[in-house]
Amino acid sequence: MKELKILYLYPDLLELYGDYGNIQVLRYRLEQRGMKAIIEPYSIGDSAPYFKDYDLVFAGGGADQEQSILAQDLVQYKTEIQEAITNGVFFLLICGAYQLFGKYYKGVEGNIIPGLEIFDYYTEAIADRKKRCIGNIIIETELNGKKTKVIGFENHGGQTFGITNPFGTVLLGNGNQFCDTQEGFFKDNVIATYLHGPLLSKNPELADYILQTCLHRKYQEEIILSPLNDNFENKCREQFI
């Protein structure tokens, strides 16, 4: 039986707007195809994870307070995380986790939360706490050479700058900054995005892209995922759009 080993980072701190649903969707879509998902959580105080041992690393969104707490813990794994990315481990990062993999996050009060500096982008919150990029969002991205609409929900005051490899083009909503044309970050085996909702329940094609990429890397063979009955999900997508 084929299987994927998934590391779920800080499930107790990074779980806004149903982000845990992404883990449930990945498990479901593997099990429906006769494959197994091994989900291992990690949070502050747990034994150190060996990032290179996993096929996929997932981290969800959190508020400024949670980010400042876990950033101090996460930084000790910077070298291991960089090695895992270089070795092809897939990383799916939502909102707060997306921000932490950049240079830094600057809060409303001017406080700096250092990032891992894995990537060159950075995030700064605007002074007006009431002004946020919030609401439903649609972007267009390219998966395996095919243009695909990705839908979700964004709610962030931070504005992310310095993106050279966006996840997609904004069709509706804000994106990395207010009224931006770009959303998220996508490079090789890393997808970082502000889209909650959870992301993968609304986008089965994206979920399968991630699974197929992970399976191909692990088993070094072309793996074609058998189609699932996504009629309900696709009807929801049509209605949403």
Side-chain angles (χ1 to χ4, degrees), residues 67-223:
Q67 285 182 243
S68 62
I69 293 171
L70 67 89
Q72 301 172 43
D73 183 73
L74 190 61
V75 71
Q76 66 183 311
Y77 303 118
K78 177 179 177 177
T79 300
E80 289 85 348
I81 290 172
Q82 183 65 75
E83 290 176 351
I85 291 173
T86 301
N87 288 343
V89 176
F90 204 103
F91 279 69
L92 177 60
L93 310 168
I94 308 295
C95 198
Y98 166 23
Q99 296 171 350
L100 285 173
F101 273 64
K103 289 183 176 180
Y104 65 85
Y105 174 84
K106 184 178 181 180
V108 174
E109 307 298 335
N111 56 302
I112 300 292
I113 300 175
L116 292 177
E117 300 184 54
I118 303 294
F119 304 110
D120 290 334
Y121 59 78
Y122 59 95
T123 304
E124 297 184 355
I126 60 171
D128 186 353
R129 293 179 183 273
K130 296 180 180 179
K131 190 175 182 182
R132 303 180 64 82
C133 298
I134 184 170
N136 295 320
I137 179 170
I138 306 174
I139 69 171
E140 185 174 74
T141 190
E142 191 169 295
L143 304 174
N144 291 327
K146 178 185 175 183
K147 288 186 177 182
T148 303
K149 287 185 175 67
V150 177
I151 60 180
F153 174 80
E154 61 178 341
N155 184 1
H156 56 101
Q159 309 291 287
T160 300
F161 303 90
I163 295 293
T164 54
N165 299 80
F167 179 32
T169 301
V170 178
L171 302 180
L172 173 74
N174 287 287
N176 289 321
Q177 304 166 35
F178 285 107
C179 302
D180 200 353
T181 59
Q182 300 178 339
E183 200 289 321
F185 175 83
F186 186 8
K187 186 176 181 182
D188 302 324
N189 48 306
V190 177
I191 292 179
T193 177
Y194 279 114
L195 273 63
H196 296 277
L199 171 68
L200 298 183
S201 66
K202 296 180 178 179
N203 302 283
E205 190 173 354
L206 175 61
D208 281 354
Y209 169 82
I210 293 171
L211 292 176
Q212 193 166 34
T213 301
C214 293
L215 288 164
H216 175 75
R217 171 184 173 270
K218 181 167 189 171
Y219 293 101
Q220 292 297 298
E221 61 181 79
E222 184 179 1
I223 296 176

Side-chain angles (χ1 to χ4, degrees), residues 42 45-51 54 76-77:
Y42 168 80
D46 294 342
S47 299
Y50 294 95
F51 287 85
Y54 293 91
Q76 66 183 311
Y77 303 118

